[in-house]
Amino acid sequence: MRDGRTLVSLSRGLVLALLVFGSPALAKGQSVGAAAPTAFQVTADVVESREGGRLLAARGNVRITRENWTLYADEVDVDQDEETFVARGSILVFDRGNQIQGSSLRYNYGTGQGVIREAHGFILPSTTFVAEEAYREDERTYRLVEARYSSCAVCQTPPYDWEFRATEVTVHPEEFAWGTHGAFWVKGIPTLYLPVFRHPLGERQTGFLTPTFGQNSQEGTIVGEQFFWVISDSQDATLGVIYRSERGTSPTVEYRYALEGGKGLLGAQYLYDLELEENRYLVTFRGEQTFAPALTGKADINIRSDPDFPEQFAPGYRERTNLVNNSSAYLTYALPWHTISLSARYDETRAPDAPEQDDALLRGPELTVSSLTQPLWEESPLLFEQQSAFVYFDQKNAISVSRLDLHPSLSLPIALTSFMTATPRVGFRETAYSRGAQDIESDPVTRELVEAGAEFSSRLFRTFPVEGERLRAIRHTVESSIGYLYIPEVTQDDIPQLDGTDFISPQNRFFLSLTNRLSASVQTPEGGRQRFDFLTITLATSVTPDPQTRTFSDLFLNSLQAEDITQAVKGERVPIPDRPGFSKATERQLANIVGRMSITPPWPLSLDLSGSFNPDVGDVETGNATLRASYEDVASFGLGYTFSRSANQEAVIAELGLTILEGTRLAYLGRYDAERGLFLENTVGLIYQTCCWAINLIYTHRDTDNPSDPKNDVRLNFELLTAPSKR
């Protein structure tokens, strides 16, 4: 006893463990009055007990632990009446995975609140910070004063790529941070002032997404911002706004759900177009649902004010030039051998150069019953298949009609040898319409067709052993096919022409096909075998022994492609005056010779070639080529070429990706119209990505004669990777 105080002194190197029980603390979510032990354990070089044990003074290598909280310091004073720790010198606190250092600390272990001065540390999941003062409000809340923080420390050293600086920031670990009078700094440079901000710190957290910026001659300055809202574990939404200085402000909303057996998206966007002085909107719904193991549904609904919105504002060429807007819904019941489908579809086709030719077609409801190829009865050699459908059509400013189409067929595969099969086939087709094609033919019309044919197919192969390091064998396979199809000519010019079912081309035609395939067998590192095709070459054509001049539907003739060998006609057409939509044309004896080649070796290189040769004119009709190559993550290259003589089209597409620095990639996309001699699109992108953010700068230049297409377009997008992401 000295000076009226109790002094307990331990020599250096000894450890005193004190177990103290104080008042209960309130944990997050705990009701008032709930009991929770506030035991703590103290170890130090020297511990002094004063005033009857009410005060403890720990000196040298102090360590205090309490549940999920640990304090290290040079000196700590403990007041058990006030339930406080006062620490000085080399403060280090571990708090439920969070780590904070500072010069001094005052902490009330009864309330769980405290403050660390000259603080810096780490907060889950990946946030580092520096602050003049760090206040612990509760076990899930920290308040930082005069602070700056970033998520880049996991892969970078200061100065970080980005950080937030603010007068005051409240941090909820693994959830979000919000603050006032803040600024966003990039590479040590202030770039954006934020009077109030809320920044998500973990995956799928409610908060603002990073803004996007752009500029082009059509829209002017473009600024977009979105707010991501986590509604529940299975639902979220994005609320946004896009500002276009030349066209107006466009609010957007997108709601997403993923419930048991299904998922979906409901979205909308609106724009009062300053240039057109019109209200423009788009409402979309996409969803799929499994109602039972065999019953599924799918929908893709798009309701819009006009065909051009919002495609005309899309940065990509493919989206901007999309001429079809469609909505569809399907309900499918799948059995092992049969499928029943109920569907509806609405298509809008726009003609940019002739708006008066815009078309719309409603197809539905449509009930389809399909049967896979199967024995006609158990153990029957005859095989049966069928495709039947009932559908209602309503074409804009044209015709409304219902159609029933029944199409069963029988086949009999016969094995001639171990490598050759003959398959004769016969089918019947009955098609009935609620009305005819002409106004005067309002009575129902029908069409009956019989089709007959056969196919002879063979497959030969030979395997060549190879004694390579990994290559064990190469197999050469030859697959050949000769087929014949006969469909008699019947009157079809009184039938409404709406799709490919409404005109069935008469046939008296032989089909020939030859495929050569090279396959490799290699030994895997595990000792097994892997087989893959690395070269495939196919030639195909068809021939009719007695070409005729026939009546064809214009819809059918317009759909014929140069690489389609099911029918071939000469170029001259003679319209039939009293049968609009029909023309006379003469069959070609020999269809185009179509070739395809695919090279797919095991290394990152592929080449696909296809084309057609017209023997009537002795020239190439179409040609397509696609080359792709890559080298690890350093470089990638793609080159595409397409040519069509009849369509007067010739185009080149090129893609290039190159890593120029660590985390920095240069990308290029070019589309060149050789027929018109101009670049439809030249896009250059600079992409920079680290562990904590990604930024994309994309520039597009277009040589276009369309005044609605901006010649130059610049887009800037960046994303903090701790923020919620839709990628």
Side-chain angles (χ1 to χ4, degrees):
M1 181 75 62
R2 185 169 56 192
D3 297 332
R5 295 177 298 174
T6 301
L7 175 62
V8 179
S9 177
L10 283 76
S11 61
R12 184 177 185 84
L14 298 180
V15 176
L16 173 65
L18 300 176
L19 191 60
V20 182
F21 293 89
S23 302
L26 290 179
K28 183 177 181 181
Q30 188 177 8
S31 61
V32 176
T38 58
F40 61 85
Q41 191 176 53
V42 181
T43 62
D45 292 340
V46 177
V47 177
E48 297 179 347
S49 176
R50 303 169 182 170
E51 298 185 8
R54 184 178 70 85
L55 302 178
L56 297 177
R59 301 291 185 266
N61 299 313
V62 183
R63 180 176 181 267
I64 299 179
T65 59
R66 177 178 177 271
E67 297 178 346
N68 296 321
W69 187 90
T70 302
L71 165 65
Y72 294 90
D74 293 339
E75 300 178 356
V76 179
D77 293 327
V78 182
D79 187 328
Q80 297 187 72
D81 286 349
E82 299 291 335
E83 297 184 320
T84 58
F85 300 140
V86 177
R88 296 171 295 277
S90 302
I91 305 299
L92 173 59
V93 174
F94 291 95
D95 184 7
R96 300 176 184 271
N98 305 304
Q99 178 181 319
I100 305 175
Q101 295 176 268
S103 61
S104 64
L105 169 144
R106 183 177 182 86
Y107 178 70
N108 186 306
Y109 60 83
T111 63
Q113 298 178 333
V115 58
I116 299 178
R117 290 177 171 80
E118 299 179 12
H120 62 279
F122 172 87
I123 296 178
L124 293 173
S126 58
T127 300
T128 57
F129 74 92
V130 176
E132 291 186 4
E133 296 177 327
Y135 290 86
R136 187 186 195 270
E137 305 288 355
D138 56 50
E139 64 183 26
R140 298 295 299 168
T141 306
Y142 289 92
R143 181 166 56 87
L144 311 178
V145 178
E146 298 298 334
R148 62 179 188 266
Y149 72 90
S150 177
S151 298
C152 296
V154 293
C155 64
Q156 297 178 354
T157 58
Y160 301 130
D161 278 356
W162 66 264
E163 66 179 7
F164 280 99
R165 299 186 185 184
T167 303
E168 185 171 289
V169 180
T170 300
V171 179
H172 299 273
E174 299 183 278
E175 295 183 12
F176 63 91
W178 68 274
T180 57
H181 300 294
F184 183 71
W185 291 56
V186 176
K187 291 290 188 180
I189 301 173
T191 58
L192 184 65
Y193 171 69
L194 303 167
V196 179
F197 65 92
R198 191 181 193 275
H199 170 222
L201 299 178
E203 292 294 329
R204 201 172 178 269
Q205 296 293 326
T206 296
F208 283 99
L209 301 175
T210 47
T212 60
F213 304 93
Q215 200 283 330
N216 63 52
S217 56
Q218 179 185 208
E219 302 168 71
T221 301
I222 308 164
V223 181
E225 179 59 291
Q226 293 180 311
F227 181 80
F228 184 77
W229 176 24
V230 178
I231 302 172
S232 68
D233 290 343
S234 59
Q235 303 174 83
D236 57 48
T238 305
L239 310 175
V241 62
I242 303 173
Y243 168 76
R244 302 178 175 94
S245 62
E246 298 297 322
R247 308 302 288 265
T249 302
S250 177
T252 65
V253 62
E254 188 174 275
Y255 164 75
R256 295 166 293 273
Y257 69 88
L259 303 176
E260 184 177 358
K263 60 182 180 179
L265 176 151
L266 176 63
Q269 54 181 300
Y270 167 81
L271 172 69
Y272 178 75
D273 197 317
L274 299 178
E275 180 177 301
L276 301 179
E277 297 184 345
E278 292 181 359
N279 292 302
R280 311 179 75 183
Y281 60 85
L282 169 67
V283 179
T284 63
F285 172 75
R286 293 195 299 272
E288 53 187 68
Q289 183 69 42
T290 300
F291 302 100
L295 183 62
T296 59
K298 184 177 290 188
D300 185 353
I301 310 299
N302 300 277
I303 303 172
R304 65 187 71 211
S305 57
D306 59 90
D308 292 330
F309 183 78
E311 276 76 10
Q312 72 177 103
F313 299 131
Y317 172 80
R318 184 172 298 177
E319 294 85 356
R320 297 173 69 87
T321 56
N322 179 35
L323 300 180
V324 179
N325 171 52
N326 56 63
S327 296
S328 60
Y330 299 87
L331 188 64
T332 303
Y333 185 67
L335 298 172
W337 292 101
H338 309 278
T339 300
I340 303 172
S341 175
L342 179 64
S343 64
R345 183 181 180 93
Y346 182 72
D347 293 315
E348 292 179 295
T349 305
R350 60 189 180 101
D353 299 330
E356 69 280 358
Q357 297 180 15
D358 288 355
D359 194 16
L361 175 65
L362 171 65
R363 181 191 183 107
E366 179 174 13
L367 178 64
T368 302
V369 180
S370 304
S371 300
L372 300 177
T373 303
Q374 56 192 285
L376 186 59
W377 63 84
E378 188 175 355
E379 298 183 357
S380 167
L382 279 174
L383 301 181
F384 165 79
E385 63 180 300
Q386 68 88 29
Q387 179 87 16
S388 301
F390 172 81
V391 60
Y392 171 78
F393 292 99
D394 187 358
Q395 188 172 29
K396 177 183 176 182
N397 300 326
I399 192 172
S400 298
V401 63
S402 299
R403 182 185 73 198
L404 175 64
D405 183 49
L406 306 176
H407 188 199
S409 64
L410 295 173
S411 59
L412 179 63
I414 303 172
L416 302 179
T417 66
S418 60
F419 58 86
M420 180 177 293
T421 301
T423 307
R425 184 185 308 271
V426 62
F428 173 76
R429 192 159 201 161
E430 173 75 23
T431 310
Y433 296 81
S434 61
R435 55 158 297 165
Q438 305 297 320
D439 292 337
I440 59 174
E441 296 171 347
S442 58
D443 293 335
V445 295
T446 61
R447 177 191 64 193
E448 293 80 24
L449 284 173
V450 175
E451 55 189 42
E455 181 182 12
F456 293 84
S457 60
S458 67
R459 184 175 184 271
L460 298 170
F461 66 87
R462 182 176 179 182
T463 301
F464 301 89
V466 178
E467 297 182 358
E469 181 178 351
R470 292 184 56 198
L471 183 62
R472 293 292 180 264
I474 293 178
R475 173 177 289 186
H476 178 207
T477 303
V478 179
E479 299 169 355
S480 61
S481 172
I482 300 176
Y484 174 75
L485 178 62
Y486 174 77
I487 300 176
E489 185 172 18
V490 298
T491 300
Q492 301 182 74
D493 55 9
D494 58 345
I495 292 176
Q497 298 297 307
L498 296 163
D499 65 11
T501 300
D502 299 320
F503 184 85
I504 305 300
S505 175
Q507 296 283 6
N508 179 23
R509 187 172 291 272
F510 292 91
F511 298 88
L512 302 94
S513 173
L514 178 65
T515 298
N516 279 268
R517 196 186 315 275
L518 290 179
S519 308
S521 177
V522 299
Q523 182 174 331
T524 64
E526 295 78 17
R529 290 290 186 96
Q530 178 184 1
R531 180 176 173 273
F532 59 89
D533 298 338
F534 65 88
L535 176 62
T536 303
I537 301 176
T538 298
L539 290 174
T541 189
S542 68
V543 59
T544 178
D546 185 23
Q548 300 287 320
T549 298
R550 304 182 187 272
T551 298
F552 292 96
S553 160
D554 290 343
L555 184 67
F556 171 79
L557 292 175
N558 294 335
S559 69
L560 287 178
Q561 302 296 317
E563 297 184 11
D564 181 4
I565 62 172
T566 58
Q567 182 57 282
V569 299
K570 297 182 178 180
E572 301 81 9
R573 303 183 190 179
V574 180
I576 301 176
D578 59 342
R579 295 295 184 186
F582 287 84
S583 300
K584 290 285 187 179
T586 302
E587 294 177 312
R588 285 168 40 191
Q589 187 167 40
L590 186 63
N592 287 346
I593 301 172
V594 178
R596 294 181 177 86
M597 183 174 72
S598 177
I599 302 176
T600 54
W603 54 87
L605 173 69
S606 66
L607 175 64
D608 291 292
L609 302 173
S610 67
S612 60
F613 177 81
N614 188 334
D616 278 16
V617 298
D619 206 348
V620 174
E621 186 69 28
T622 62
N624 300 280
T626 303
L627 172 66
R628 294 190 179 277
S630 63
Y631 176 69
E632 297 180 345
D633 294 330
V634 177
S636 62
F637 172 77
L639 182 64
Y641 172 80
T642 183
F643 161 78
S644 174
R645 183 176 305 278
S646 59
N648 295 321
Q649 293 180 350
E650 186 177 9
V652 178
I653 301 176
E655 298 177 351
L656 176 66
L658 184 64
T659 300
I660 54 179
L661 295 171
E662 184 178 359
T664 305
R665 190 168 181 83
L666 182 68
Y668 169 78
L669 171 64
R671 301 176 188 272
Y672 179 71
D673 187 337
E675 187 69 25
R676 298 161 61 191
L678 54 84
F679 278 96
L680 301 176
E681 185 175 40
N682 267 315
T683 298
V684 179
L686 187 64
I687 300 100
Y688 174 73
Q689 180 170 340
T690 68
C691 65
C692 58
W693 80 328
I695 182 168
N696 303 335
L697 178 62
I698 302 172
Y699 169 75
T700 301
H701 174 76
R702 304 180 182 92
D703 294 332
T704 174
D705 49 13
N706 186 351
S708 65
D709 279 339
K711 294 184 178 298
N712 297 289
D713 188 294
V714 180
R715 307 278 172 151
L716 176 65
N717 306 288
F718 68 96
E719 179 179 8
L720 306 184
L721 298 185
T722 54
S725 171
K726 298 188 296 179
R727 294 189 307 176

